[in-house]
Each structure stands twice: as C-alpha cells, then as structure tokens.
Amino acid sequence: MSPFQLTRTLAPDAADADLRADVLHGLNRSPKELPPKWFYDARGSELFEEITRLPEYYPTRAEREILKQRAPEIAAATGARTLVELGSGSSEKTRFLIDALLPGLDSYVPVDVSESALTGAAESLLAERPGLHVHALVADFTRGLALPGTAGPRLVAFLGGTIGNLLPGERRTFLRSVRTMLSPGDALLLGTDLVKDEATLVAAYDDSSGVTAAFNKNVLAVIDRELGADFDPDAFDHVAVWDREREWIEMRLRARRALTVKIPELDLVVPFAAGEEMRTEVSAKFRQAGVRAELAEADLDLDRWWTDSEGRFALSLATAR
C-alpha cells in the first residue's frame, strides 16, 4: 500500500459554482452576508496564520496547549486505529495526536478543500513518520462525507473552534452527519472556544495591528478577482461585535459611504447605504452544558472535557452510541 493516497470527491468547478451561489444569495438578502469560507484563498490563509500568532488571538495557543498535554489520554481513551481530521489544513496541531496514537495508528485521513494543503501536509508528515499511511480527501465535509474503508476504532477530529462558524441549525446538521461516519464506540474530538469576558473576545477578532481587518476585507478581493467585481476594500471598515444573547462574535464590513458595487460575472449591481453592514463571519462561543446537549442530540455522549490552563478553550471527547 502506498504511504500516500489522495481521493478527490469535490468537482473541479465546485468552488466556482459555490462562490457564485453564495455571493448571489448573500448580497441579495437583507441584511447582506457572505460565508467565512471565502476568506481563505492563498492570501487569506497567510493572513490567518499571522492572526494565530497575534497576542490577542488566544484560541490557537490554548488548543495547542491542551493537545500537547492531553494527546496521550485521548489516545488511551479511544485506541483509534484511524484518525480523520475535518478541515485539516496544514495538520500542524494534529501531530500531537498522531504521535500519541502511533504505532497503533493505521491511517490518517485529512479532509480539506485544498489539494495543495493536503499534499504539503502529507509530505511533511511522512518525511518524519515513514510508517504512517495518509489517505487524503479533497472534499467539502459540510456536504456530508463518505470515508474510505479504514480500520476501527475511528477518531474524528474537528479542531480550531471551527464549529463556531456554523449557525445552530447548521451545527445540528453537521453533528448528525459526523455521527453517520462513526460506528458505536468510535469518537469525536471537538474544539470549542468558550464564553468569556467581552473585551477578550472582541480583541481576538479586532487586533490592534489590523491583521484581522485585512483578513476580513480579503473576501472582497476574492470576489473582485473571481467574479470581476469592483469592490474597493478601502471603502469598508472592519467591525467585530459581541452578541450577548446569542453568545457569538460577528465580524462585519461596514460601508464608509453610500456606494454601488458591480459584479459583471453575476450580472449583479449591489447598492450599499452609508454605514450599512454586511456580516462575514459568526464565531459562536460555548459552555460545557451546551456542548453536551448538542452532542447528545446527535447521539454522541460527552465523555471527557479538557480546557487550557486559563479556561479559555475546550476539547471535548464524545463517543458514538
């Protein structure tokens, strides 16, 4: 068996079709919105990596601390022979899990929409761990996922607090789809950012050096490039606000003046009033009781709950019924 396999389940033109559909839908509704997945072209990914190193942005460091300390416990509790990672990216933090699960780990199955990210991560992993088998999937896990035939028990990891980018109904659908990947006794390792004081939360999404602002505005550059639009990023301000009722951060772009944007590829003209805001991301924050309830609704039982030393971020281990 080759140490590296790659399977593409995402059609080559899927991203273009999805972008068109999301922009058409999101800019025709009121209030306007765009989904956060369009931040992440090459430039957006670079900016996000820079964000993770900012002093204000604690989630990446906090989750890394938990993984570094708790990976042996996770390995012992699951006995996983297959590790599946959704939205794997560079697989950087996952190395703690992989090393804790070896030598009993048969396969690592990273899932991402970026073939280049998957290939780069696999090459790096295999250079250091020649006994590992990597079967990468170029796929959109939000659409449901058929996993390759691999040995059980399975551990599915969804890290980074990314589940917070899903609205409550989307989270229910997602967790149910994860449950369909699992057999009874298999497990889900879930990263969730926790509710905390407003100042800390807002600062994490509105850093003093303006990197998050550039990241937020990058979605406009993506639409300009891919759809021939004439968005001027300088005509918008980055906004991050804490919604106390829903317990989530919203990132928005606020028009500095009245303006009109033309998107020729969609035959679309979009007016913005002065001060009008367009939502570009929701990032929900969680409490343990809420996580337990959402997992239970998907027939997943919360078994272990770990936080970093400052109680900012949590990893939960849930077992499929």
Side-chain angles (χ1 to χ4, degrees):
M1 179 186 295
S2 168
F4 177 54
Q5 294 175 261
L6 187 139
T7 300
R8 173 180 283 278
T9 64
L10 199 62
D13 61 349
D16 180 63
D18 285 353
L19 176 62
R20 289 170 175 267
D22 287 343
V23 171
L24 195 60
H25 171 74
L27 297 188
N28 274 316
R29 72 186 305 276
S30 182
K32 297 179 179 69
E33 67 177 14
L34 292 168
K37 66 181 180 180
W38 300 115
F39 291 139
Y40 296 96
D41 64 348
R43 176 58 179 155
S45 297
E46 289 174 359
L47 286 167
F48 184 72
E49 286 300 314
E50 190 174 344
I51 286 170
T52 65
R53 296 189 291 269
L54 293 170
E56 298 97 330
Y57 194 80
Y58 60 85
T60 302
R61 290 189 299 276
E63 186 177 49
R64 182 184 177 90
E65 176 192 319
I66 305 168
L67 283 168
K68 186 175 181 179
Q69 292 181 353
R70 304 296 185 176
E73 292 179 52
I74 296 166
T78 62
R81 296 179 64 197
T82 296
L83 172 62
V84 180
E85 185 178 9
L86 306 179
S88 56
S90 66
S91 302
E92 192 270 332
K93 288 179 293 189
T94 324
R95 286 162 167 76
F96 294 114
L97 283 176
I98 291 171
D99 289 341
L101 288 164
L102 288 171
L105 183 67
D106 287 348
S107 299
Y108 171 51
V109 183
V111 182
D112 204 279
V113 296
S114 171
E115 182 172 340
S116 61
L118 289 167
T119 302
E123 289 174 350
S124 174
L125 284 167
L126 291 170
E128 300 167 357
R129 300 158 184 84
L132 182 65
H133 172 240
V134 178
H135 189 156
L137 300 182
V138 183
D140 182 350
F141 60 80
T142 64
R143 297 179 171 184
L145 191 64
L147 294 176
T150 52
R154 284 176 168 175
L155 171 62
V156 173
F158 191 41
L159 304 175
T162 308
I163 194 168
N165 296 145
L166 305 178
L167 297 174
E170 295 170 334
R171 292 202 300 268
R172 285 192 291 272
T173 299
F174 167 74
L175 288 171
R176 287 171 183 156
S177 73
V178 169
R179 177 61 186 84
T180 65
M181 303 178 201
L182 305 175
S183 299
D186 289 349
L188 167 67
L189 184 67
L190 182 66
T192 49
D193 196 9
L194 302 180
V195 174
K196 56 187 67 65
D197 68 280
E198 181 175 349
T200 299
L201 287 166
V202 172
Y205 293 84
D206 193 11
D207 62 276
S208 58
S209 55
V211 182
T212 312
F215 176 68
N216 194 6
K217 292 182 183 184
N218 189 63
V219 72
L220 305 181
V222 170
I223 297 170
D224 284 353
R225 183 183 66 245
E226 299 298 329
L227 299 178
D230 61 356
F231 273 109
D232 176 7
D234 291 335
F236 292 83
D237 287 322
H238 165 69
V239 180
V241 295
W242 171 241
D243 186 320
R244 293 182 182 86
E245 181 180 348
R246 296 183 175 92
E247 295 191 324
W248 68 42
I249 286 280
E250 285 195 11
M251 290 210 314
R252 305 171 185 168
L253 291 170
R254 178 188 294 152
R256 293 181 173 178
R257 53 180 171 79
L259 56 91
T260 300
V261 175
K262 300 179 182 66
I263 308 178
E265 290 289 324
L266 300 179
D267 194 24
L268 184 64
V269 176
V270 186
F272 285 84
E276 182 178 353
E277 294 181 344
M278 173 172 61
R279 187 171 76 185
T280 53
E281 183 178 79
V282 163
S283 185
K285 309 306 170 186
F286 297 87
R287 301 177 189 270
Q288 184 175 0
V291 173
R292 184 185 299 276
E294 292 194 32
L295 290 169
E297 190 178 355
D299 290 332
L300 294 161
D301 292 324
L302 178 60
D303 293 328
R304 310 285 182 92
W305 173 270
W306 300 283
T307 69
D308 65 291
S309 57
E310 296 182 40
R312 300 167 296 179
F313 195 95
L315 282 182
S316 51
L317 187 66
T319 304
R321 295 174 191 163

